[in-house]
Amino acid sequence: MLVRDAMSTVVLTIGPEHTLRQAAALMSARRVGAAVVHDPDAGGIGILTERDILNSVGLGQCPDTERAHAHTTTDVVFAAPSWTLEEAARAMAHGGFRHLIVLDHDEIAGVVSVRDIIRCWAPARQRAEQVPA
């Protein structure tokens, strides 16, 4: 199975000046764990995750004044839609993150998460376990 089969194609994109509270509210409303941060002035595409917001709040920072750009990961590992789910899972495990932005010809095509991969793998595993030996 490929990344294109598992990824979410509706991507939450925010700007670098969104507050963490605004980002959290949008992520919660969309029921996603990450937002793509588009900042053409600072190098392009980054990602803000629920973990980034949690870390900021845990440090006592105010989510009403902290801006997304201060917490965005900019050294992003991108996936291609043609990657296998194994390749995506390997990249996530190696990098210690749970989301990959998927680029197709330098355009954002989607986001794939650990949850997306598990959702695809679980039924395949159940089918394999049901096949008589």
Side-chain angles (χ1 to χ4, degrees), residues 114-125:
V114 170
R115 182 178 297 149
D116 296 327
I117 293 171
I118 291 170
R119 186 176 49 237
C120 290
W121 279 351
R125 183 177 174 111

Side-chain angles (χ1 to χ4, degrees), residues 44-106:
I45 301 170
I47 191 165
L48 179 75
T49 68
E50 56 199 358
R51 184 182 303 170
D52 298 322
I53 296 170
L54 182 65
N55 287 341
S56 174
V57 172
L59 289 171
Q61 297 172 335
C62 179
D64 293 314
T65 57
E66 287 296 311
R67 303 292 173 178
H69 68 82
H71 302 278
T72 298
T73 300
T74 55
D75 59 338
V76 178
V77 175
F78 297 100
S82 59
W83 279 18
T84 65
L85 293 185
E86 289 82 5
E87 289 173 301
R90 193 175 309 114
M92 289 178 191
H94 178 75
F97 46 81
R98 299 180 310 219
H99 300 85
L100 285 168
I101 298 172
V102 182
L103 292 184
D104 191 11
H105 297 56
D106 294 327

Side-chain angles (χ1 to χ4, degrees), residues 1-9 79-85 88 102-105 109-112 120:
M1 189 165 275
L2 302 178
V3 164
R4 75 170 47 91
D5 302 319
M7 70 184 189
S8 300
T9 57
S82 59
W83 279 18
T84 65
L85 293 185
V102 182
L103 292 184
D104 191 11
H105 297 56
V111 173
V112 66
C120 290

Side-chain angles (χ1 to χ4, degrees), residues 15-28:
E17 292 301 316
H18 275 81
T19 66
L20 293 188
R21 184 175 307 280
Q22 290 170 325
L26 291 167
M27 291 163 64
S28 178

